Amino acid sequence: GNSVTQMEGPVTLSEEAFLTINCTYTATGYPSLFWYVQYPGEGLQLLLKATKADDKGSNKGFEATYRKETTSFHLEKGSVQVSDSAVYFCALNYGGATNKLIFGTGTLLAVQP
Amino acid sequence: GAVVSQHPSRVICKSGTSVKIECRSLDFQATTMFWYRQFPKQSLMLMATSNEGSKATYEQGVEKDKFLINHASLTLSTLTVTSAHPEDSSFYICSARGARGTSANTGELFFGEGSRLTVL
């Protein structure tokens, strides 16, 4: 079946450190891949997405590349800020309908000044 | 724009009581809303798809009589957990898709901030 696995948190980094949050997926066909972010007290927001193999999604300094050969969509940022502290969810969409999202468990990122 | 709000954000109730959670699209019309639940350290699981003016579509394994969903207007969907028990304690999240022909119909889902239910 379809599933998403992401690294467990919490991930604690110092400001300006390099961030990687791993995400791998299992899916039939060719899903679209997403990263959502949830800041404290707010709803999930779409951070970036990629719809086909080798696509790179990017936003707010974050990047993730759709790697079909390794079934991965790792989230990276070169220099994190305290304001990046949030929970990050990797997700895939199957069936061609945006409502059928399968999420990972979420990874809490805490950035210390 | 495209803000979705849930209420209440936290609720504690006694076993056997019913609890209603509201999901509102504040500045756009949403013909479709989705309800998810999340257990600690687990993924968000889609429970049901709610369409304005029609019955909700439930995912396999979700009890329709337990989780009543009503989508009576283009800006409001409600989830009622009936006869709640401790195993229903969870984090419930809604999302909404903007109605066709509106500026919010971008294909993106807009999420509420979630409601944490604790059943004693």
Side-chain angles (χ1 to χ4, degrees), chain B residues 42-54:
Chain B
Q42 294 188 25
S43 303
L44 278 75
M45 300 297 296
L46 179 64
M47 299 174 65
T49 302
S50 167
N51 294 300
E52 187 265 338
S54 64

Side-chain angles (χ1 to χ4, degrees), chain B residues 62-99:
Chain B
V62 178
E63 299 176 60
K64 300 178 183 181
D65 297 330
K66 176 70 156 177
F67 301 100
L68 300 179
I69 292 173
N70 182 277
H71 192 159
S73 79
L74 286 171
T75 59
L76 173 65
S77 176
T78 60
L79 168 67
T80 302
V81 183
T82 62
S83 186
H85 289 90
E87 57 267 29
D88 299 322
S89 299
S90 188
F91 194 56
Y92 294 88
I93 302 174
C94 73
S95 67
R97 186 162 61 196

